[in-house]
Amino acid sequence: MIWKDDISFDGFQKRIDEWYKDKEFELCDPPINAQFALDLIFKTLVDDKEHFPYLTTNSESVEQTNSIMLDLILRKYSKKYRKYNKKQKKKG
């Protein structure tokens, strides 16, 4: 996938720094956009190792790409999800 430069640990830190800028004390964690969070998780856990260039070349909506990304993350890191899929295939 082709990533914007801000989809990185530096980009994440920059968002945190922006949240705390000009604040002497803050009791809550900085808000992070859900799309940014999913992109960073996917890039870090899946795409940096396996590279999925088709995700940026397909003419699908952001929501469809998010669905693919979520499925790939769950397939790789969730034994429970893999068992669920296996069970669904047997039903089908």
Side-chain angles (χ1 to χ4, degrees):
M1 226 169 140
I2 300 166
W3 297 103
K4 295 181 200 170
D5 289 339
D6 75 324
I7 305 296
S8 64
F9 297 135
D10 287 336
F12 179 53
Q13 188 60 52
K14 183 179 177 185
R15 289 168 187 252
I16 291 171
D17 293 344
E18 285 288 319
W19 172 252
Y20 288 119
K21 186 175 132 183
D22 299 326
K23 296 179 183 174
E24 290 182 30
F25 185 77
E26 190 67 40
L27 290 175
C28 59
D29 294 318
I32 297 296
N33 174 289
Q35 187 64 54
F36 175 84
L38 178 61
D39 287 349
L40 183 58
I41 289 167
F42 182 79
K43 179 184 178 202
T44 303
L45 297 179
V46 179
D47 197 48
D48 275 355
K49 297 172 186 81
E50 299 177 28
H51 307 290
F52 290 93
Y54 68 86
L55 288 178
T56 50
T57 58
N58 282 349
S59 58
E60 295 181 329
S61 70
V62 171
E63 290 81 8
Q64 289 170 309
T65 303
N66 287 348
S67 177
I68 294 167
M69 290 165 57
L70 181 59
D71 180 65
L72 289 167
I73 291 167
L74 291 172
R75 283 179 191 271
K76 186 167 185 168
Y77 292 99
S78 175
K79 186 176 182 178
K80 194 178 210 179
Y81 184 70
R82 289 189 301 271
K83 282 183 176 181
Y84 172 81
N85 279 336
K86 194 174 185 178
K87 192 185 295 183
Q88 290 299 103
K89 285 180 183 178
K90 285 182 181 179
K91 282 185 184 178

